Every structure is written in C-alpha cells, then in structure tokens.
C-alpha cells in the first residue's frame, strides 16, 4: 500500500512539472492605469506645450561662469564689465526700474549700464572692417555694389543668425523672451565694440572676418546686389569708360509664336561680346544679357574663383 501511494505521488509530480515550467511571469497592472495615462495625455495635448523658459531660471545658473565660458569658446579676451554691459539691453534696465517702483522705491536706480553706446561703436567698427575686406576681395565691384554687400552683412537677419550660433541667446538680458532678432543683432554689435576695447583692432578685424565676412561663402552676389535697370546701368558704364555704344543682337530663337518660345540675345560693344542671356521674350533676354555682361565686367560670375578669406584686407580710403 505504501509503495502504491508513493508511485501515485511521483506520477502526479511528473504530470504537473511541464505546467509549472510553462508559467508566464507577468506584472500585476491595475485596470485603472491605462485609462488614467490616456486621460493625462489627452489633457496635456489640450493644454499644449509649456512656454519656453530662460536658462537663467534654472537653479544651477551662474551668469559669471557663463560669461567666462562664452569668451573661452570664442578664444577671445574680454573685459568682464564690458562683456556684461554688451549683453544688457535698455529694455531690461526699464523692466528692473519698474519692478523697484512697484515695491515702493520712488527713485529707482540700476547700477548697470546698458549697451546703447557699445551698439553705436560696434556699427562703425563693423562698417570699417567690412569695407576693407570687401574692397580687397572684390576690387572691380563699384561703390554702390560694395555698399549693398556691406548692408547685407550688417543686416539684422545676418547678424542675428551669427549671434544665436555663437551662444548669445541665453546671455542677453532683455525684457523680451525669447530674445528678438533685433536684440540679437544689437548685442552682437555691442560684443564687437567690447572686443575692440578689450583686445584691440587687429583681433577685432580677425573676429569680423571669421564670423561676418565669411557669410559670403557660396553666395550669389547678384542676389545681394540687384541692379534696378541692368541695361541702362551697362550703357552708362560703357559711356563712362569709352567702350562704345551697346548693340543687342538676336543670336538664336526657338518655338516662336508658341507658349514655349525662347530667345537667345547677345550684347555687343565695338563688335565685342559683353554678355548673353535667354528669355521667353526679347526684352527679357536683353535684360538677362545685360546682367551677364555686368557680372563679367565686375568679376561676379558664378564660375569665378572663391573668395580668399585669408587675404589681407585693403585699407579703405
């Protein structure tokens, strides 16, 4: 009888062994978890993302350390007071004065100068050094073309692009957040002036070359300097330089009297070809030929040699 009981127990264990080995271990997740998470996500999508917060609102923010890191990233030496002033906008000073008035201060004082003076100095420094670099790189371009190129390089859009990519966005003290494009551009001008007073004109010239003048890389100057009337401009240029009277000539045409008509026109002066152009009508082709002639005269063709940014700038008169 004892042997029979033991054999039966052994048989039951053998039959139960595969069942125990095939058990799936799962976590005990309550039924309310999934609908709760879905509701939280729905409410988050309804409210929308959180508004952007300035870095200065973080607990580990250290403004002096950030100013030091900014100078080290650029490998430049700045006077700490001037650099701090370069990033202080007038709107920030007004905001701080309003806060003091709200707490009962009758004559609020903020012991921190704004960057208005540095901005004016920075504009002059940028114009001077950029004129030197443009004159050296494009000696054949007339004065109005060089001025247009300089205005493009000192525009708010270009300077704000440079300023944001060198890390000024989180350092600018302004009443507006996110920082506007105008404040980014003005702060960059102020940084240039601060560098001029801290490290001298030579280092500032190199800084402007590396960050501002190089924005002309792979750019079509014809898109930056747009001549209003290319044919008239080319006519006046030829008269001033005794190149002869312009004579547009039809070189070829195809698809005449159709919607796909194309005309090929060349502009000659004293039997010398100045430029060619294509257009869907003769007037458009003549205008494109005049543009091509101006590009060839001023050495602004797309096939010209790239700008040598390491070339020494010519001193502007």
């Amino acid at each position: 009888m004892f042997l029979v009981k033991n054999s039966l127990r052994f048989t039951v264990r053998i039959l139960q062994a595969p069942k125990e080995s095939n058990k799936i271990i799962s976590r005990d997740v309550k039924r309310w978890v999934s609908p709760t998470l879905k509701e939280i996500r729905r409410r988050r999508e309804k409210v929308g993302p959180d508004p952007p917060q300035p870095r200065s609102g973080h607990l580990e923010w250290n403004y002096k350390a950030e100013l030091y890191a900014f100078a080290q990233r650029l490998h430049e030496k700045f006077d700490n007071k001037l650099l701090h002033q370069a990033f202080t906008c007038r709107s920030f000073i007004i905001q701080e004065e309003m806060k003091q008035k709200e707490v009962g201060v009758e004559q609020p004082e903020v012991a921190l100068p704004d960057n208005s003076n540095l901005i004016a100095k920075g504009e002059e420094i940028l114009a001077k050094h950029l004129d030197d670099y443009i004159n050296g790189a494009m000696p054949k371009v007339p004065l109005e073309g060089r001025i247009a190129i300089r205005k493009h390089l000192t525009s708010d859009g270009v300077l704000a692009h440079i300023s944001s990519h060198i890390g000024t966005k989180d350092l600018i003290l302004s009443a507006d957040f996110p920082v506007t494009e105008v404040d980014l551009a003005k702060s960059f001008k102020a940084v240039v002036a601060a560098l001029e007073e801290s490290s001298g004109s030579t280092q500032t010239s190199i800084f402007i070359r590396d960050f501002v003048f190089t924005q002309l890389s792979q750019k079509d100057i014809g898109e930056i300097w747009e001549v209003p009337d290319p044919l008239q401009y080319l006519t006046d240029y030829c008269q001033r330089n005794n190149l002869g009277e312009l004579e547009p000539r039809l070189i070829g045409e195809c698809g005449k009297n159709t919607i796909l008509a194309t005309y090929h026109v060349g502009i000659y002066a004293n039997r010398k070809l100045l430029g060619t152009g294509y257009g869907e009508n003769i007037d458009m082709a003549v205008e494109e030929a005049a543009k091509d002639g101006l590009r060839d005269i001023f050495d602004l063709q797309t096939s010209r040699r790239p700008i040598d940014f390491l070339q020494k700038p010519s001193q502007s008169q």
Side-chain angles (χ1 to χ4, degrees):
M1 191 67 180
F2 176 77
L3 294 175
V4 173
K5 289 182 179 180
N6 288 339
S7 61
L8 291 173
R9 290 176 182 176
F10 183 73
T11 304
V12 171
R13 289 179 180 179
I14 293 176
L15 293 174
Q16 292 179 351
K19 295 180 180 180
E20 294 178 355
S21 61
N22 292 332
K23 284 184 178 180
I24 299 176
I25 301 176
S26 61
R27 293 187 301 174
D28 187 12
V29 180
K30 303 299 182 181
R31 287 183 296 176
W32 57 265
V33 174
S34 178
T36 302
L37 294 178
K38 290 180 180 179
E39 179 64 18
I40 292 174
R41 180 177 179 179
R42 187 189 67 81
R43 294 184 181 183
R44 168 56 62 184
E45 292 177 351
K46 183 178 179 180
V47 173
D50 294 332
Q53 298 295 329
R55 286 277 308 278
S56 57
H58 296 183
L59 293 176
E60 70 278 7
W61 178 256
N62 188 329
Y63 192 72
K64 292 184 178 180
E66 294 294 334
L67 291 178
Y68 175 81
F70 174 79
Q72 295 303 310
R73 285 196 303 270
L74 298 181
H75 300 282
E76 302 290 353
K77 294 182 179 179
F78 290 94
D79 181 84
N80 291 333
K81 292 183 179 180
L82 287 176
L83 188 59
H84 193 180
Q85 180 182 352
F87 289 126
T88 305
C89 298
R90 179 59 187 167
S91 61
F92 176 79
I93 302 296
I94 296 175
Q95 184 185 50
E96 293 299 314
E97 292 176 350
M98 293 299 295
K99 289 181 179 179
Q100 293 183 15
K101 288 182 179 180
E102 290 177 358
V103 297
V105 179
E106 297 181 356
Q107 297 181 351
E109 293 183 2
V110 180
L112 186 64
D114 61 77
N115 56 6
S116 301
N117 295 332
L118 292 178
I119 292 172
K121 292 180 182 178
E123 290 179 350
E124 298 177 359
I125 296 169
L126 279 170
K128 175 181 179 299
H129 289 291
L130 285 176
D131 284 341
D132 294 341
Y133 282 114
I134 295 172
N135 293 341
M138 306 172 191
K140 296 183 179 181
V141 177
L143 178 61
E144 54 266 31
R146 297 197 296 268
I147 292 176
I149 295 171
R150 188 236 298 163
K151 287 184 178 179
H152 167 74
L153 292 175
T154 56
S155 62
D156 288 344
V158 174
L159 294 183
H161 172 78
I162 301 170
S163 181
S164 62
H165 281 80
I166 62 175
T168 63
K169 182 170 60 175
D170 294 322
L171 299 176
I172 296 175
L173 301 178
S174 174
D176 302 321
F177 188 84
V179 183
T180 62
E181 185 179 87
V182 175
D183 286 339
L184 284 170
K186 288 182 177 180
S187 296
F188 182 81
K189 296 175 184 177
V191 169
V192 170
L195 181 61
E196 174 86 10
E197 296 185 15
S198 301
S199 300
S201 178
T202 302
Q203 195 64 27
T204 306
S205 177
I206 297 174
F207 178 84
I208 293 174
R209 179 200 66 188
D210 292 344
F211 289 101
V212 184
F213 187 54
T214 52
Q215 297 299 312
L216 292 178
S217 178
Q218 300 183 357
K219 292 291 181 63
D220 184 5
I221 305 301
E223 296 180 356
I224 298 175
W225 175 40
E226 296 183 0
V227 181
D229 190 351
L231 183 60
Q232 184 62 41
Y233 192 95
L234 183 59
T235 302
D236 296 339
Y237 178 85
C238 292
Q239 291 178 354
R240 289 195 306 267
N241 294 274
N242 299 321
L243 298 178
E245 186 177 355
L246 292 184
E247 183 182 357
R249 297 180 184 178
L250 183 63
I251 298 176
E253 62 180 356
C254 65
K256 188 177 181 180
N257 298 326
T258 67
I259 61 174
L260 299 177
T262 303
Y263 298 89
H264 186 197
V265 174
I267 291 185
Y268 293 82
N270 284 339
R271 299 181 180 181
K272 181 181 178 182
L273 180 64
L274 298 182
T276 62
Y278 294 87
E280 59 187 19
N281 54 58
I282 294 179
D283 293 337
M284 185 178 296
V286 170
E287 183 178 349
E288 292 300 322
K291 290 181 180 179
D292 184 66
L294 291 175
R295 285 194 294 265
D296 190 61
I297 292 172
F298 299 141
D299 193 20
L300 297 177
Q301 294 283 9
T302 55
S303 59
R304 68 185 178 91
R305 294 181 59 184
I307 299 175
D308 184 8
F309 294 108
L310 297 179
Q311 181 182 2
K312 292 184 178 180
S314 63
Q315 299 297 325
S316 59
Q317 299 297 330

